[in-house]
């Protein structure tokens, strides 16, 4: 019954059905063994030889890299296709999340298939290699780290014209930084000065302030020029306040008017921003406290 379940799963659930007919898939299944793993069992371990792959017949598994789940797989999904890549060892571990049954395909099984059905074996190999490349590219995109240091340009609606005038006057200074702003501000900036953004975010009420805050926490912001309207109320006041708080937490210079904006530009261009800032004792104390919580758990 296990063998029949494997064949049925490969023929109906796996992506192989888009590339091979049922007869070819059944031949592949005949060269696999069926294994059952208990909940929490490690099916494949990082840094072990990449000498086998598997298809899920039932159950669920998670792909783990550095204690982080990078994928969750269910019936029909395959894993371990790095067997056909240039990687000699595995770059991640696979753990069962419940009792799990898999079709197990080793490098020796592949060689057996190669001897009896060479053309078919090579076709399977190319498909598995393509799957591996696609997953590698997806993982690279998901784990991409933007190392640029942006200068954020933000303004309330009543202050956008003032920000544009400021940018026009200081174009030669602003051109030396990758700029981040909302799409609206970016369009105005291009029309008024010819400068382009390096990255854009949503408008403030739709999460733009929070997006800039996230980049502050990842050390991608070197300064914030935020021309605030001091005489009007704002529906996203909490976001504005949170952005200012994060600037204080990470010691990011924040300008709220043209005069302080000019001071920040001169400061950033002077090279002083590259110096080690004064220790943030409050942040250090918080990090230590969080570490104790983790250690005590």
């Amino acid at each position: 019954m296990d063998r029949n379940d494997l064949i049925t799963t490969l023929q109906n659930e796996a992506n192989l059905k888009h590339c091979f007919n049922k007869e070819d898939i059944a031949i592949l299944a005949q060269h696999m063994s069926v294994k059952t793993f208990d909940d929490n069992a490690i099916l494949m371990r990082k840094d072990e030889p990449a000498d086998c792959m598997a298809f899920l017949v039932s159950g669920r598994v998670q792909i783990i890299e550095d204690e982080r789940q990078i994928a969750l797989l269910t019936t029909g999904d395959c894993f371990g296709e790095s067997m056909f890549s240039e990687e000699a060892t595995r770059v991640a571990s696979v753990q069962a999340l419940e009792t799990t049954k898999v079709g197990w395909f080793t490098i020796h099984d592949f060689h057996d298939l190669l001897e009896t059905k060479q053309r078919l074996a090579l076709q399977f190999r190319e498909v598995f290699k393509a799957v591996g490349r696609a997953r590698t590219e997806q993982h690279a995109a998901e784990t991409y780290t933007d190392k640029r240091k942006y200068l954020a340009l933000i303004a309330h609606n009543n202050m956008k014209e003032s920000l544009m005038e400021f940018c026009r006057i200081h174009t030669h200074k602003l051109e030396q930084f990758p700029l981040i702003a909302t799409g609206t501000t970016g369009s105005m900036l291009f029309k008024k000065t010819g400068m382009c953004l390096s990255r854009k975010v949503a408008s403030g009420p739709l999460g733009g302030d929070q997006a800039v805050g996230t980049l502050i926490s990842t050390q991608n912001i070197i300064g914030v020029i935020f021309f605030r309207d001091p005489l009007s109320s704002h529906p996203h006041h909490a976001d504005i306040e949170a952005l200012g708080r994060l600037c204080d937490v990470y010691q990011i210079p924040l300008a709220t008017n043209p005069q302080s904006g000019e001071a920040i530009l001169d400061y950033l261009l002077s090279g002083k921003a590259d110096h080690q800032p004064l220790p943030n004792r409050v942040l250090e104390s918080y990090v230590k406290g969080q570490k104790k919580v983790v250690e005590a758990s």
Side-chain angles (χ1 to χ4, degrees), residues 163-178:
L163 178 61
M164 292 303 107
E165 181 66 13
F166 175 85
C167 291
R168 186 186 63 78
I169 294 172
H170 298 289
T171 297
H172 67 289
K173 294 181 180 179
L174 291 168
E175 285 177 334
Q176 300 182 53
F177 302 99

Side-chain angles (χ1 to χ4, degrees), residues 179-199:
L179 302 176
I180 183 171
T182 66
T184 301
T185 299
S187 296
M188 294 179 66
L189 184 68
F190 181 75
K191 290 179 181 179
K192 299 288 185 178
T193 70
M195 288 190 295
C196 295
L197 299 179
S198 295
R199 185 166 177 171

Side-chain angles (χ1 to χ4, degrees), residues 17-296:
K17 64 184 179 182
H18 301 300
C19 306
F20 300 94
N21 60 41
K22 289 191 174 183
E23 181 181 348
D24 290 341
I25 293 173
I27 292 173
L28 175 66
Q30 292 297 335
H31 286 77
M32 293 184 183
S33 58
V34 179
K35 293 188 176 184
T36 301
F37 294 87
D38 294 331
D39 182 19
N40 292 325
I42 300 297
L43 286 69
M44 297 177 182
R45 195 178 300 275
K46 182 179 179 180
D47 296 328
E48 287 182 344
D51 57 2
C52 62
M53 63 177 296
F55 283 85
L56 270 168
V57 178
S58 64
R60 295 181 304 145
V61 302
Q62 61 177 347
I63 312 299
I64 307 171
E65 181 182 32
D66 299 327
E67 300 182 354
R68 180 176 65 92
Q69 183 191 85
I70 61 175
L72 181 64
L73 306 182
T74 57
T75 302
D77 290 332
C78 69
F79 54 92
E81 67 283 346
S82 58
M83 178 174 82
F84 293 104
S85 74
E86 295 178 356
E87 297 288 342
T89 58
R90 304 200 183 282
V91 297
S93 297
V94 183
Q95 182 182 34
L97 293 176
E98 57 191 54
T99 300
T100 298
K101 187 182 299 183
V102 302
W104 202 259
F105 189 56
T106 70
I107 192 67
H108 301 294
D109 296 327
F110 172 71
H111 288 155
D112 289 341
L113 178 60
L114 195 62
E115 290 182 1
T116 57
K117 297 283 185 178
Q118 184 183 58
R119 183 175 180 180
L120 182 61
L122 294 177
Q123 289 176 336
F124 276 118
R125 184 184 67 177
E126 290 307 306
V127 169
F128 295 145
K129 288 173 68 174
V131 170
R133 287 194 298 269
R135 285 185 173 170
T136 298
E137 291 172 0
Q138 179 183 2
H139 182 54
E142 292 173 348
T143 57
Y144 167 73
T145 301
D146 187 352
K147 296 183 179 180
R148 288 178 292 184
K149 303 286 187 179
Y150 299 96
L151 175 63
L153 301 177
I154 309 172
H156 288 139
N157 286 338
N158 290 341
M159 300 297 293
K160 288 192 185 298
E161 286 299 330
S162 295
L163 178 61
M164 292 303 107
E165 181 66 13
F166 175 85
C167 291
R168 186 186 63 78
I169 294 172
H170 298 289
T171 297
H172 67 289
K173 294 181 180 179
L174 291 168
E175 285 177 334
Q176 300 182 53
F177 302 99
L179 302 176
I180 183 171
T182 66
T184 301
T185 299
S187 296
M188 294 179 66
L189 184 68
F190 181 75
K191 290 179 181 179
K192 299 288 185 178
T193 70
M195 288 190 295
C196 295
L197 299 179
S198 295
R199 185 166 177 171
K200 67 179 180 180
V201 295
S203 64
L206 299 180
D209 298 331
Q210 295 180 21
V212 173
T214 298
L215 291 171
I216 289 175
S217 71
T218 57
Q219 300 181 3
N220 288 110
I221 300 292
I222 57 172
V224 177
I225 295 178
F226 189 169
F227 284 10
R228 298 186 292 191
D229 177 0
L231 302 179
S232 303
S233 60
H234 306 287
H236 60 300
H237 174 74
D239 297 332
I240 300 168
E241 190 175 79
L243 182 61
R245 184 183 66 80
L246 283 173
C247 286
D248 291 338
V249 169
Y250 291 95
Q251 301 191 58
I252 302 300
L254 168 65
T256 58
N257 56 68
Q259 291 291 83
S260 56
E262 186 172 344
I264 280 183
L265 287 179
D266 290 340
Y267 165 72
L268 294 175
L269 291 171
S270 71
K272 293 180 180 179
D274 297 329
H275 298 168
Q276 186 70 25
L278 290 173
N280 189 331
R281 302 304 183 190
V282 175
L283 179 59
E284 290 177 354
S285 177
Y286 176 80
V287 172
K288 289 180 181 178
Q290 292 298 99
K291 185 177 180 180
K292 290 181 180 179
V293 171
V294 173
E295 292 174 347

